Amino acid sequence: MKNLLLFADVSGKLDPTDYVGFTFFVGSMAMMAASAFFFLSLSQFDRKWRTSILVSGLITFIAAVHYFYMRDYWFANVESPTFFRYVDWLLTVPLMCVEFYLILKVAGAKPSLMWKLIFASVIMLVTGYFGEAVYTTGTGPAIWGALSGAAYFYIVYEIWAGSAKKLAVAAGGDILYSHKLLCWFVLVGWAIYPLGYMLGTEGWYTSFLGTGSVDVVYNIADAINKIGFGLVIYALAVKKQNVLS
Ligand SMILES: *C/C=C(C)/C=C/C=C(C)/C=C/C1=C(C)CCCC1(C)C
């Protein structure tokens, strides 16, 4: 029962200084609320935009379910739920890549663009998992983190300057504007994760921040990126729809 109590540590006591538990709790609520918002707004969009909004809702919904698990895991073990974390990312980050493709489809984006981004995101996350959960000693975290970072920079390059950028410029107007916003999310919002990774790597900064600090960073980043990303898509769909009606 004790892991059903809010902010309870292993002994079952309420702990108001458990910031990790608190951000897991708030995170799960925020993801649920965002999912309800996106799903309930679906019917007001025409078919062209419905898929994008649906994907926004799926991203926050998948995250919400994982947050419920991660929150319980944290309260039961007072340990980072790294495995659930990466399963969540492995499902939601590729969906964020799909969002880029969906909004650029009007400019002629081909599925190959989507697969390129998805492939790079999977490499980024699998190598990141190796560095965070498998090869956690010696040079392991640095090497796997660097590989993960290379895949991350590839995504950044592709959307900021590569073929995705060209399609966005060709589409112009609201699409270009929203694409730019999503690019900023990837450049700034996603950059929070490697910082969390470094904070969580044993022997780097854990001595002065303690265990769990990595989860606070990841939880804040997830809320910004998943919900913010979805809202950019939502705002774009609303703008486009008004133009049509
Ligand atoms: C909703 C979840 C999102 C947007 C997660 C994004 C995760 C990353 C951009 C993670 C990147 C990493 C690196 C670039 C290097 C270190 C290892 C990672 C996996 C933390």
Side-chain angles (χ1 to χ4, degrees):
M1 275 305 279
K2 66 182 169 233
N3 58 356
L4 293 177
L5 287 171
L6 286 185
F7 318 131
D9 61 19
V10 229
S11 68
K13 277 192 222 138
L14 296 178
D15 180 4
T17 64
D18 179 1
Y19 302 113
V20 181
F22 176 75
T23 53
F24 271 125
F25 182 72
V26 174
S28 57
M29 288 307 134
M31 296 295 180
M32 274 316 280
S35 310
F37 175 79
F38 292 129
F39 289 147
L40 292 172
S41 76
L42 270 176
S43 61
Q44 76 189 52
F45 295 106
D46 57 32
R47 287 190 56 214
K48 208 165 128 259
W49 288 101
R50 224 172 269 165
T51 316
S52 303
I53 303 293
L54 177 65
V55 173
S56 293
L58 286 176
I59 290 169
T60 52
F61 183 70
I62 292 169
V65 175
H66 283 83
Y67 266 75
F68 288 127
Y69 276 103
M70 292 197 286
R71 194 193 61 193
D72 284 353
Y73 186 96
W74 172 260
F75 288 136
N77 305 297
V78 195
E79 175 189 290
S80 291
T82 309
F83 180 73
F84 284 126
R85 175 79 73 189
Y86 274 85
V87 175
D88 171 354
W89 289 354
L90 213 47
L91 296 169
T92 53
V93 177
L95 284 174
M96 296 171 100
C97 297
V98 172
E99 294 279 37
F100 274 102
Y101 163 72
L102 287 175
I103 72 166
L104 294 175
K105 231 165 74 175
V106 282
K110 300 205 178 59
S112 62
L113 168 70
M114 179 181 83
W115 290 116
K116 261 198 295 199
L117 295 175
I118 289 178
F119 182 72
S121 72
V122 170
I123 299 283
M124 174 180 86
L125 296 171
V126 171
T127 52
Y129 183 75
F130 283 154
E132 191 163 342
V134 186
Y135 304 104
T136 57
T137 55
T139 51
I143 292 171
W144 290 105
L147 288 172
S148 174
Y152 168 62
F153 282 124
Y154 171 76
I155 298 173
V156 169
Y157 167 78
E158 188 58 40
I159 57 175
W160 274 90
S163 58
K165 164 72 187 296
K166 292 189 187 85
L167 289 164
V169 169
D174 295 331
I175 304 269
L176 177 59
Y177 176 75
S178 301
H179 175 84
K180 255 276 159 58
L181 282 179
L182 294 183
C183 284
W184 278 108
F185 270 97
V186 174
L187 184 65
V188 180
W190 289 23
I192 302 170
Y193 297 94
L195 292 177
Y197 176 92
M198 290 191 275
L199 288 177
T201 298
E202 207 57 56
W204 291 11
Y205 307 100
T206 44
S207 52
F208 63 89
L209 281 160
T211 53
S213 55
V214 58
D215 288 292
V216 174
V217 175
Y218 285 165
N219 290 352
I220 292 170
D222 275 359
I224 294 172
N225 287 301
K226 293 186 165 63
I227 300 172
F229 222 77
L231 288 174
V232 171
I233 307 281
Y234 176 84
L236 173 64
V238 167
K239 261 191 252 169
K240 286 302 208 183
Q241 196 112 306
N242 287 344
V243 169
L244 293 173
S245 60

